[in-house]
Amino acid sequence: MHNNKHITLGIESSCDETAVGIVADGREVLANVISSQIDIHTKFGGVVPEIASRRHLENINDVIEQALDEAGVTMDKVDLIGVTYGPGLVGALLVGVATAKAMAWARDIPLVGVNHMHGHIASNYLDYKELEPPFIGLVVSGGHTNIIKVDDYNECKILGATRDDAAGEALDKVARVVGLGYPGGPKIDKAAREGDRDAIKFKRVYLNDGSYDFSFSGLKTQVLNYINSERQAERDINIPDLAASFQEAIMEVIADKAISAATSYGNNKIVVAGGVAANSRLRELLESKGEAAGIEILKPAQILCTDNGAMIACSAYYQMKKGEFADMSLDACPGLEF
């Protein structure tokens, strides 16, 4: 124990970030080291799984050493190892899982396999020290757009999910077509700040009454058709207006559904997580709609929105408290459900 504190080391390698976090007593971040591969994948316009896996392999030991250094702890002070085992890219996940198992086995440290999505929700516990379930979780990332009823630290029920493209995928695809590049979310967010969100009328898809599910593929197609017809007519496309109008059509639906879920379940807190949770317009809409409905919106710092090891360590700590440990048969599970 580090000054009698319980030390958890968390490893995250589900996509293109090699990340290791060290957390004391589940909530105090001692180190959170993230090695991003965005520069490498930008030239391909998206994440290349094989390249991501190789880069994790090259980086993982250095990132672990850096995190231990930053936290001022040695491996013999680590009480628990948590690792993301899904969902994600199978090759990328395997690097983290194999590393965590090797460390746990060699040093006889308990091991916990963490669901990446539970990790995103847990990122809020690191910023809001008093936060406890129950609350409504909104996870918006590259591959997920979910509204979740969080009843306890390890008990989640999905109220709504994306039926096709997740918000992050739709943003990436449109950004690529208009030449903004990868990653699409931050680039569209930035361009939208200069644009008029009412310039182009894109449809809002709410699906059937009372549904908390999302569907963005029709909107994405509408935007792509708009771009093609403007190009064929040889008209210039105003990128900031397009970005602002498209972003609004996505974020408005997400904010409305999240507020509606919190209201109907009598929950006065929405906890936001995932990469797209960093979107400035989504944050604004949630704040204003939340205030009108008397609902508090909690969102972690930007660094905790991206994939990181500290959120995995936090989630692992609460699983450990419930006695949920993994053994050496732990394997990567790329299609892991919530």
Side-chain angles (χ1 to χ4, degrees), residues 21-22 26 41 44 49 80 82 87 96 104 113 122 155 167 206 209 263 274 278 280 292 298-299 303 318 320:
I22 296 175
H41 297 286
F44 301 106
L80 180 69
E155 280 171 43
Y206 286 94
D209 256 11
T263 309
S280 64
L298 304 181
K299 44 204 181 312
I303 189 75
Y318 285 105
M320 176 267 309

Side-chain angles (χ1 to χ4, degrees), residues 147-203:
I147 295 176
I148 302 121
K149 191 163 164 281
V150 181
D151 295 318
D152 200 357
Y153 285 108
N154 306 95
E155 280 171 43
C156 302
K157 175 174 181 260
I158 294 191
L159 301 178
T162 180
R163 294 183 182 179
D164 39 58
D165 287 22
E169 288 172 299
L171 290 164
D172 279 344
K173 282 173 187 168
V174 170
R176 193 179 306 148
V177 171
V178 295
L180 285 173
Y182 174 86
K187 306 248 167 123
I188 285 198
D189 193 0
K190 190 172 176 221
R193 282 175 210 159
E194 312 296 317
D196 173 5
R197 59 181 83 109
D198 298 317
I200 310 158
K201 291 283 172 269
F202 291 130
K203 63 184 171 197

Side-chain angles (χ1 to χ4, degrees), residues 1-7 24-25 28 30 71-73 77 79:
M1 296 276 178
H2 180 247
N3 299 337
N4 292 329
K5 288 187 171 174
H6 186 283
I7 303 293
D25 290 342
E28 184 194 339
L30 303 180
V73 298
K77 296 279 189 288
D79 303 299

Side-chain angles (χ1 to χ4, degrees), residues 210-293:
S211 167
Y212 299 119
D213 282 351
F214 299 95
S215 170
F216 296 119
S217 69
L219 170 64
K220 182 196 69 192
T221 305
Q222 190 190 1
V223 177
L224 299 180
N225 287 343
Y226 170 83
I227 294 165
N228 289 336
S229 63
E230 292 299 292
R231 283 180 179 162
Q232 277 166 355
E234 294 181 353
R235 285 192 290 267
D236 283 342
I237 294 167
N238 181 321
I239 304 258
D241 281 358
L242 176 86
S245 303
F246 167 57
Q247 177 175 273
E248 193 72 6
I250 287 187
M251 302 308 167
E252 202 176 347
V253 173
I254 294 175
D256 282 344
K257 286 191 178 240
I259 299 289
S260 157
T263 309
S264 61
Y265 281 91
N267 222 304
N268 63 352
K269 271 195 191 76
I270 294 175
V271 166
V272 190
V276 184
N279 181 278
S280 64
R281 185 59 187 148
L282 178 61
R283 288 178 168 231
E284 279 169 20
L285 283 165
L286 284 167
E287 286 293 348
S288 60
K289 289 172 188 284
E291 201 176 320

